[in-house]
Structures are given as structure tokens and as C-alpha cells.
Amino acid sequence: MYTVNKNARKRFTPIRSKRQKALRLRRFIIIIVSIALLIGAFFALKKAAALLFNAAARPSWLEWHIKKINISGEEGDIIGEIEKYISFNEGDAVTHADAAGLERILERNLKELKSVRVWRNFFNGNLNIKIKKHTPFARLKTPSKTYLIEEGGLIFNDDKTPVNPPLFEVSIQGQIKAELLPKEFVELIKALKFSADLDIKEVSVDWEDNSFTLKLKSGSADMGGVKNGPAKLGRLKSVLAEAEKRGFKEPYEINFNYFNDGKIYLKPTT
């Protein structure tokens, strides 16, 4: 039979406890470091995988580079306007998405373009831009600038390109703020353009009042509102014919402001 020295147990217990604490701390540190290394390794592998994927998806030897930018379909100032929106230079790598993006930019900013197509030619290295402009039928002159108008009513900046025969011109009092003109206004301009027998010298439209006046060889005509414009022009022809038949002296002053009441006034100035 033996006995345990209680004092001895008390003397060795603290040493064992310190070792256990140190061991637990070391394990904890190892675990934290291991987790950090695993997280770092995960992100490093993810980045490497992305780089490898991009390299595999689009190797540098497959990149398409511009040798020449070719704009076709139209001539004149519109070429310079298109060049302002091209951010590519010869030798640059251009993707299909880049070409499609340029196409959208041109469509959005150059309203005079009826159609635009941008594509890459893999055989000759050309970036091709093919355009077609709207065909204008009249010119609108405001106090600050001039516009062109196409048959659907769309207006766009006048690029001063010579048109043969010269465009029919309309003077606008006021500022045009719309991109698409009202149908009744477009129909009026078309009717005026094909009214050569009236010998119209000048057409003036008050944009605020929505009314128009004419300067004719035989005088002047206050035509009232733009509404029913073509019908008013038809009546103007018959009024002038009647005035000539009756031997009224030119020039005339003609007033259509009461047209809706069935009245048209013609006053000889002499």
C-alpha cells in the first residue's frame, strides 16, 4: 500500500495545465491560418480559372484588328458627321459587340440616316459602315437654323448637301422642338410643293399660332390655320381664277381666316 503526496500533485498540476493551454492555442492558430490559406487559394484559383477561360475563349491570335475604315452608300458632309462617332483607329482590336455598339450610336444620333449597318470583314480587315439617308422633300428655315423634312414628317439637320432639283422651302416663325411634325403640316407642305400653278414666291408658317401665309405673284394670302391646308389651296386657285375672270387688278389681298364659316375675302389693292 502506498500513499499519494498531495503536495506533489499540487506542484505538478499547473505545469500540465499550461502545456494544455499552449497546445490548444497552437491548434487554434493552425486552424485559423489553414482557413485563411484555403480562402486565399480559392480566390487565386478562381482568378486563374477566369484568366484561362478568357484566354481559351478569345486567344490573342483570334482578335480582329482594323486595317481600314470604309464608309459607303452616301457622300458629302454626312461622312464627317459619322467619323465624329468612331472611336476606333487603324490597328485596334474590334469585337462584334463593338461594331454593333457603333451602329446603335449612329442610329440614335444621326436622324438623317434611314438605315445604317456596321460589320467587320475578316478577309480584308475593313470595318465597313454602309449608310442610306432619308430623301428630303422640303427645307424648313427657322430664325436660328435650317432643317430637312422627309415624307413621313421626320425632320433632321440640314447638311447643306446640294439637291437637284432644289428643295421646296418654307420659312418658320418660331422654334421647332419636335423631331416628327404633325401629319396635317406634312400634308400642307406636300400640297404646296405641287401647287406650281399658284406661282408661290414664299411660304411662311407661324409655329405658335399654327397658321400660314403665302406671297404670290398676284398678291398675298393670309391662309389662317394649317388645318385643311390642301383644301384651302384648292379654293385659293378657284378664287384667283374668279378674280382674273372679273378683271380685278393685281395685286390682291386674300383672307382665309373665315374659311370654316364658308367665307373667303379678296381685296384688290388698286
Side-chain angles (χ1 to χ4, degrees), residues 156-177:
F156 42 91
N157 292 331
D158 185 1
D159 61 5
K160 306 298 191 300
T161 301
V163 179
N164 192 23
L167 292 173
F168 186 77
E169 292 189 353
V170 177
S171 296
I172 304 292
Q173 305 304 317
Q175 297 298 323
I176 300 175
K177 298 180 180 179

Side-chain angles (χ1 to χ4, degrees), residues 28-269:
F28 178 75
I29 293 172
I30 292 173
I31 291 172
I32 294 300
V33 172
S34 298
I35 292 173
L37 290 173
L38 287 173
I39 293 174
F42 171 78
F43 284 106
L45 288 172
K46 184 179 180 181
K47 185 176 181 180
L51 292 173
L52 288 172
F53 177 80
N54 290 335
R58 187 184 173 190
S60 59
W61 56 272
L62 279 180
E63 287 184 344
W64 187 86
H65 295 265
I66 296 177
K67 289 184 179 179
K68 182 181 177 182
I69 298 175
N70 179 43
I71 303 174
S72 64
E74 299 285 354
E75 298 179 352
D77 294 344
I78 188 63
I79 303 300
E81 290 298 314
I82 287 175
E83 290 174 343
K84 293 178 183 178
Y85 294 97
I86 300 175
S87 59
F88 316 130
N89 296 310
E90 292 183 7
D92 287 350
V94 176
T95 66
H96 171 75
D98 294 332
L102 175 59
E103 187 174 294
R104 289 192 296 270
I105 289 172
L106 296 177
E107 289 175 339
R108 184 170 61 249
N109 291 281
L110 299 177
K111 299 301 182 183
E112 58 265 49
L113 294 182
K114 182 177 183 180
S115 65
V116 55
R117 182 177 170 229
V118 181
W119 77 98
R120 304 170 299 165
N121 189 314
F122 283 90
F123 298 101
N124 59 19
N126 282 358
L127 179 69
N128 294 314
I129 304 173
K130 188 172 183 179
I131 59 173
K132 183 174 179 58
K133 295 197 299 183
H134 286 289
T135 301
F137 77 93
R139 176 176 281 112
L140 309 180
K141 302 177 68 175
T142 74
S144 59
K145 63 189 302 185
T146 61
Y147 300 92
L148 299 179
I149 178 173
E150 55 88 41
E151 290 193 351
L154 181 70
I155 65 170
F156 42 91
N157 292 331
D158 185 1
D159 61 5
K160 306 298 191 300
T161 301
V163 179
N164 192 23
L167 292 173
F168 186 77
E169 292 189 353
V170 177
S171 296
I172 304 292
Q173 305 304 317
Q175 297 298 323
I176 300 175
K177 298 180 180 179
E179 292 183 352
L180 190 67
L181 297 187
K183 182 178 180 180
E184 61 186 18
F185 182 84
V186 178
E187 294 302 319
L188 170 62
I189 299 299
K190 290 179 179 178
L192 287 167
K193 180 179 179 180
F194 295 106
S195 297
D197 51 338
L198 285 174
D199 202 359
I200 299 173
K201 302 301 182 182
E202 183 180 332
V203 181
S204 179
V205 175
D206 189 316
W207 192 253
E208 300 297 330
D209 291 343
N210 200 33
S211 61
F212 70 109
T213 59
L214 304 177
K215 286 186 178 181
L216 311 169
K217 180 182 178 181
S218 55
S220 62
D222 183 348
M223 303 299 291
V226 169
K227 187 177 181 180
N228 298 321
K232 290 180 177 180
L233 292 176
R235 290 295 303 276
L236 177 60
K237 293 177 185 179
S238 62
V239 167
L240 291 174
E242 183 66 20
E244 183 180 6
K245 180 180 177 180
R246 295 189 182 188
F248 293 161
K249 299 296 183 179
E250 298 179 358
Y252 311 130
E253 290 181 359
I254 306 170
N255 191 317
F256 272 75
N257 282 295
Y258 301 95
F259 178 78
N260 292 335
D261 298 328
K263 299 177 181 179
I264 302 170
Y265 293 95
L266 182 144
K267 176 184 176 182
T269 56

